[in-house]
Amino acid sequence: MFTDGPMAMVAASLRQVREVAHEIVVAVDDRVPVADLGEVVEVADRVIRAEFVHPLEANLDWLHRQATGDWILRLDSDDVVSAALARRLRTPGWDDGITHAYLQYRWLWGDPSTAIDQAPWWPDPVLRLIRNLPGIARFDHGAHQVPRVAGAPQFWDDLLYHLDLLL
């Protein structure tokens, strides 16, 4: 994750994946005061202060290179992993024969039990899970550009909740 907060929400989101994550790496915009990082430091394995370059995609190649685990699940500060996705990631063999997976992005709206179910918000597959192998992914620097990843993708029904419209 590359974030500028809010740090309490970031920490809460990361706690949802703590039990399935080998490593949690958070890059924090260097304009965020060090005093605000407490909760994130408690849940993350590494917190890196860095200069954020717009758009987010311009940072993704560097961000992915900070991870040392076998897989990278990239989250934004306003994303929450569904219970079903966490279960899948705890299940041995979930990664057999794949290099990357698209998740279903659910745009929550109004309240946490309501999601937009019409285009362009649904279906909204997002590439957020990539095997951490050198050279497997290429990241364009344009806004909303999807990484190009070698290998055949899988499209999962597991949800990644997007809280932007609730916030």
Side-chain angles (χ1 to χ4, degrees):
M1 179 183 296
F2 203 134
T3 186
D4 64 357
M7 293 302 146
M9 187 172 76
V10 168
S13 174
L14 295 175
R15 283 185 197 101
Q16 301 296 313
V17 295
R18 179 71 270 178
E19 69 179 74
V20 299
H22 164 78
E23 167 189 54
I24 294 178
V25 177
V26 180
V28 177
D29 188 311
D30 62 3
R31 294 171 290 186
V32 173
V34 172
D36 293 353
L37 302 180
E39 288 186 68
V40 171
V41 169
E42 290 173 10
V43 70
D45 297 295
R46 291 180 53 214
V47 176
I48 306 163
R49 292 176 51 81
E51 180 181 352
F52 181 79
V53 177
H54 286 282
L56 171 65
E57 289 76 8
N59 302 279
L60 293 182
D61 182 56
W62 171 83
L63 182 60
H64 277 239
R65 284 186 278 118
Q66 304 313 302
T68 63
D70 294 337
W71 284 90
I72 298 168
L73 171 64
R74 186 181 65 80
L75 300 174
D76 291 340
S77 58
D78 55 0
D79 292 338
V80 176
V81 171
S82 68
L85 178 56
R87 260 192 316 279
R88 182 190 288 256
L89 296 175
R90 280 194 304 273
T91 304
W94 68 265
D95 59 343
D96 289 346
I98 68 170
T99 59
H100 57 298
Y102 287 82
L103 310 174
Q104 290 298 323
Y105 217 35
R106 291 297 284 178
W107 289 73
L108 300 182
W109 179 76
D111 65 67
S113 66
T114 306
I116 299 175
D117 63 358
Q118 63 188 33
W121 301 278
W122 184 260
D124 189 11
V126 291
L127 178 56
R128 293 296 188 83
L129 190 60
I130 301 174
R131 192 179 287 273
N132 192 10
L133 294 172
I136 197 171
R138 294 186 51 155
F139 300 90
D140 292 326
H141 291 191
H144 304 289
Q145 295 296 309
V146 178
R148 290 172 281 151
V149 184
Q154 281 194 354
F155 290 83
W156 293 354
D157 291 331
D158 300 302
L159 302 178
L160 182 59
Y161 296 110
H162 188 54
L163 308 181
D164 184 51
L165 301 177
L166 286 181
L167 302 173

